[in-house]
Amino acid sequence: MRECQHVAELPRSEPVPSGDTCPECRAEGTDPVQLRLCLVCGHVGCCDSSAGQHASKHFKDTGHPVMRTFEPGEDWRWCFVDGSIV
């Protein structure tokens, strides 16, 4: 994995997750396929395989570029701006 400039610009400590699941899915009554954690603000959103694609919507609404998987046993980050794992 290469590190992009957006990772370098992240807060030094990881933000506290806003919850344990995607609040938009909960409000819509849908189930997330997998969860992502925004590394700027801690928003938890569902992945693009989920009906709502709320992690991507969060990026579009806020411009927060990097999320990481919020799934147990996984350890990777995604940069929406660069469209790559970082």
Side-chain angles (χ1 to χ4, degrees), residues 44-73:
V44 176
C46 61
C47 71
D48 284 354
S49 295
S50 300
Q53 301 180 348
H54 295 115
S56 288
K57 287 180 182 176
H58 178 75
F59 164 67
K60 290 174 188 165
D61 290 346
T62 65
H64 296 167
V66 182
M67 292 204 174
R68 75 159 171 86
T69 179
F70 197 53
E71 294 297 317

Side-chain angles (χ1 to χ4, degrees), residues 3-64:
E3 191 168 285
C4 70
Q5 76 178 49
H6 306 102
V7 170
E9 296 168 356
L10 291 172
R12 291 293 178 211
S13 59
E14 191 172 281
V16 174
S18 61
D20 61 352
T21 193
C22 177
E24 291 90 350
C25 283
R26 182 175 283 153
E28 294 169 2
T30 60
D31 293 319
V33 174
Q34 290 194 343
L35 299 171
R36 309 292 180 244
L37 174 69
C38 176
L39 293 179
V40 174
C41 71
H43 177 79
V44 176
C46 61
C47 71
D48 284 354
S49 295
S50 300
Q53 301 180 348
H54 295 115
S56 288
K57 287 180 182 176
H58 178 75
F59 164 67
K60 290 174 188 165
D61 290 346
T62 65
H64 296 167

